[in-house]
Amino acid sequence: MAAISRCLANGSLSPLSSPTNKHLRSRLRILSSAVRSSVDSNKINLSCSDLSKWNSSGLSIDERWRERRRDETAGVVQCSAGLEGIGERVARQRGGVAISERAKVVAMMALVMLLCNADRVVMSVAVVPLAAQYGWSSSFVGIVQSSFLWGYVISSMVGGTLADRYGGKRVMACAAALWSLATFLTPLAAHKSTAALLAVRALFGLAEGVAFPTMSTFLPRWFPTHERATAVGISMAGFHLGNVISFLATPIIMSSIGINGTFAFFASLGYAWLCVWLLFISNEPHDSPHISQAELELIQAGRTESKSKSNKFPSLKLLMSKIQMWAIVVANVVNNWGYFVLLSWMPVYFKTVYDVNLKQAAWFSAIPWAVMALSGYVAGASADFLIKSGFSVTLVRKIVQSIGFVGPGVALLCLSFAKTPAVAALLMTIALSLSSFSQAGYFCNVQDVAPKYAGSLHGITNGIGTVAAIISTIGTGYFVQWLGSFQAFLTLTAVLYFSATVFYNLYATGDLIFS
């Protein structure tokens, strides 16, 4: 920078000429080189008097430089993850607006997770008129609902490995294309035969099974450790909003364009998302043509890198020999058990127990998921805040996971005392909103213990959890048919929640296990 060079040459910065301030003189020369291009491009003029004032202010030269640059250029507003929120890093430069690539990535991830769940819920709502049309029993409805999980359990185990090997962008794109196709084919298959319907639903689950493992692989590539739970919280907020939108919109769309048109509408949204994803999202931050150097350095500095150079995946025997992995597996099993019971049976529950019509059942079913979307973000942001405040990762994971299990367990037990659908909806809301804290618990815990194999390990643990979801979804149908009541199965689910809380607190860890 010419201004600094002139002042050094003519002695205007006399205090820096003393031997005791040689290091400050050196700092000026380094600063001269480092900021030349930035000053020229922004037309910031520095005088010798400016530099003299900087020297006498007590602040370091680079601090004063940054202060001056903020004053004479357009302001910068930056909020990273945590309680400030991802997605608000907006830089106003020369009258323009630039949104961080991390914000774009998490927005697109939240949107695809929204569609992922919305396409599931379409069937949960449509199964009521379909069952009436084709004369399905409660037990067969449970089989139809669980058929989604037949394919899901397979792909969830291999989906993470595929994402680790081929990249999250490509795997998520293929998955969205396939599950959108299966969504479109579902009512056509139901009309053809029950076998065709079960096959298409299994295909649908096969495609959607890779979504969570892929998200678990993709987000850590784009977000530093202290932003990760918030990124997961935002993505999962999209997932839960998919419940809300689909529960509310499906009965309305169905009454306007029929069952076939409803499934076709949601399928078309998936292909619209796919076009944007392929055009604007990169698999790795360093592959993005739009990312700034500052953002790239922030991401790279905050990553938890494995020290091992080996790409060999740990053996199954080694994985299962670690009690810390069993803590994650047990948490996943119980979380999936409770989640899929509520997801698959909530509209049927309100219609059967409280005799409300389909649109009313949709409203009562949607409210809990809406609150869950918000509470999931709060859980992630709070966990990140605690970690940045100095609490150990292990302690934070145990705290939020305890909330995510004890809260729903108590709420489900209280359902037996609910006399109106409004009270039942309130208890369901409490159960689901608190269960979302698991997203910042066991879900992120996989990335803590094995960041290098996060996708694969999440796929394995989620695959085991999906088996539990199949049992709970079918089991609910048989319990209702045999006992004529939902409460017995909900009580069993609450007991599992409490048991898993104890196990997780005893054995879970946030430390690196597999490097």
Side-chain angles (χ1 to χ4, degrees):
M1 181 204 298
I4 295 177
S5 300
R6 287 196 304 271
C7 293
L8 287 171
N10 64 23
S12 297
L13 294 177
S14 55
L16 297 182
S17 302
S18 65
T20 59
N21 286 297
K22 287 182 179 179
H23 65 288
L24 292 179
R25 188 179 178 89
S26 177
R27 288 287 297 279
L28 279 173
R29 290 196 178 96
I30 294 172
L31 183 63
S32 173
S33 173
V35 303
R36 181 180 293 111
S37 60
S38 183
V39 173
D40 291 342
S41 64
N42 289 285
K43 302 292 188 293
I44 296 177
N45 297 314
L46 295 175
S47 66
C48 295
S49 60
D50 288 327
L51 296 174
S52 297
K53 291 177 182 177
W54 289 12
N55 181 45
S56 61
S57 66
L59 296 175
S60 66
I61 296 295
D62 47 351
E63 286 174 335
R64 291 293 305 187
W65 158 252
R66 286 194 295 270
E67 185 177 289
R68 176 64 179 271
R69 192 170 188 271
R70 283 196 299 269
D71 291 341
E72 298 198 22
T73 59
V76 174
V77 179
Q78 177 172 338
C79 291
S80 63
L83 295 178
E84 295 84 10
I86 297 173
E88 295 298 328
R89 185 183 184 276
V90 181
R92 295 178 178 86
Q93 296 174 340
R94 302 176 188 175
V97 176
I99 301 175
S100 75
E101 292 304 299
R102 303 197 316 289
K104 298 175 186 176
V105 166
V106 77
M108 288 300 292
M109 184 60 71
L111 185 56
V112 75
M113 297 308 291
L114 184 153
L115 295 174
C116 174
N117 212 19
D119 289 352
R120 295 186 196 183
V121 174
V122 173
M123 188 60 180
S124 295
V125 177
V127 74
V128 176
L130 286 173
Q133 181 179 346
Y134 297 111
W136 298 339
S137 65
S138 294
S139 57
F140 185 74
V141 168
I143 293 174
V144 171
Q145 296 284 56
S146 70
S147 61
F148 154 80
L149 297 169
W150 302 349
Y152 188 93
V153 67
I154 298 172
S155 60
S156 64
M157 289 187 174
V158 301
T161 303
L162 293 175
D164 287 339
R165 178 171 298 183
Y166 299 108
K169 176 183 177 178
R170 186 181 303 176
V171 174
M172 189 67 88
C174 292
L178 188 57
W179 84 54
S180 297
L181 175 62
T183 299
F184 175 77
L185 294 175
T186 293
L188 304 177
H191 180 72
K192 184 174 179 61
S193 67
T194 55
L197 172 62
L198 296 179
V200 169
R201 295 305 294 172
L203 176 65
F204 177 74
L206 188 71
E208 288 214 342
V210 306
F212 280 109
T214 301
M215 182 181 76
S216 185
T217 294
F218 193 71
L219 291 180
R221 297 184 180 186
W222 276 92
F223 293 89
T225 303
H226 66 275
E227 293 184 350
R228 208 162 287 165
T230 307
V232 170
I234 292 174
S235 300
M236 292 302 296
F239 183 77
H240 300 312
L241 282 176
N243 278 319
V244 180
I245 293 172
S246 194
F247 270 130
L248 296 181
T250 297
I252 299 173
I253 298 173
M254 202 178 297
S255 64
S256 301
I257 59 178
I259 294 177
N260 289 22
T262 302
F263 280 90
F265 171 75
F266 280 97
S268 66
L269 295 179
Y271 288 109
W273 172 89
L274 181 62
C275 294
V276 179
W277 176 262
L278 292 175
L279 288 174
F280 297 106
I281 300 299
S282 300
N283 192 60
E284 293 276 1
H286 58 73
D287 293 332
S288 174
H290 308 295
I291 194 168
S292 67
Q293 185 63 30
E295 185 177 12
L296 181 60
E297 290 174 357
L298 171 66
I299 295 170
Q300 292 174 337
R303 279 184 173 182
T304 304
E305 298 291 351
S306 171
K307 297 179 181 179
S308 173
K309 299 298 182 181
S310 173
N311 290 321
K312 185 178 179 181
F313 188 77
S315 67
L316 186 60
K317 181 179 179 181
L318 177 60
L319 289 176
M320 295 299 101
S321 69
K322 303 293 185 180
I323 192 66
Q324 297 90 342
M325 278 301 302
W326 278 106
I328 296 174
V329 169
V330 169
N332 202 320
V333 164
V334 173
N335 183 75
N336 278 10
W337 177 288
Y339 179 84
F340 278 97
V341 166
L342 297 177
L343 174 66
S344 301
W345 287 97
M346 200 179 294
V348 181
Y349 170 82
F350 280 107
K351 189 176 189 309
T352 303
V353 177
Y354 299 104
D355 194 29
V356 298
N357 62 43
L358 186 58
K359 288 186 178 180
Q360 289 175 319
W363 271 101
F364 284 121
S365 301
I367 293 171
W369 302 108
V371 178
M372 190 178 186
L374 176 61
S375 63
Y377 170 76
V378 172
S382 300
D384 282 344
F385 176 77
L386 290 174
I387 291 172
K388 286 189 289 185
S389 298
F391 290 89
S392 71
V393 175
T394 299
L395 178 61
V396 172
R397 298 291 181 238
K398 289 181 178 180
I399 290 173
V400 294
Q401 189 58 62
S402 297
I403 296 172
F405 277 172
V406 174
V410 173
L412 291 182
L413 289 178
C414 292
L415 269 176
S416 60
F417 303 102
K419 303 301 181 183
T420 66
V423 174
L426 174 62
L427 291 171
M428 290 279 194
T429 300
I430 294 172
L432 286 170
S433 61
L434 293 179
S435 73
S436 66
F437 277 71
S438 293
Q439 297 163 193
Y442 85 87
F443 194 97
C444 289
N445 203 183
V446 176
Q447 301 164 12
D448 300 326
V449 301
K452 189 174 182 180
Y453 311 108
S456 301
L457 288 178
H458 183 87
I460 293 172
T461 57
N462 198 48
I464 298 172
T466 302
V467 175
I470 294 174
I471 296 172
S472 67
T473 304
I474 297 177
T476 304
Y478 279 102
F479 261 67
V480 173
Q481 186 169 319
W482 292 340
L483 303 177
S485 170
F486 280 92
Q487 192 55 48
F489 206 79
L490 294 177
T491 301
L492 173 62
T493 302
V495 171
L496 291 176
Y497 273 134
F498 299 144
S499 302
T501 303
V502 175
F503 191 86
Y504 190 86
N505 276 276
L506 287 175
Y507 299 114
T509 182
D511 299 330
L512 183 68
I513 298 176
F514 301 106
S515 59

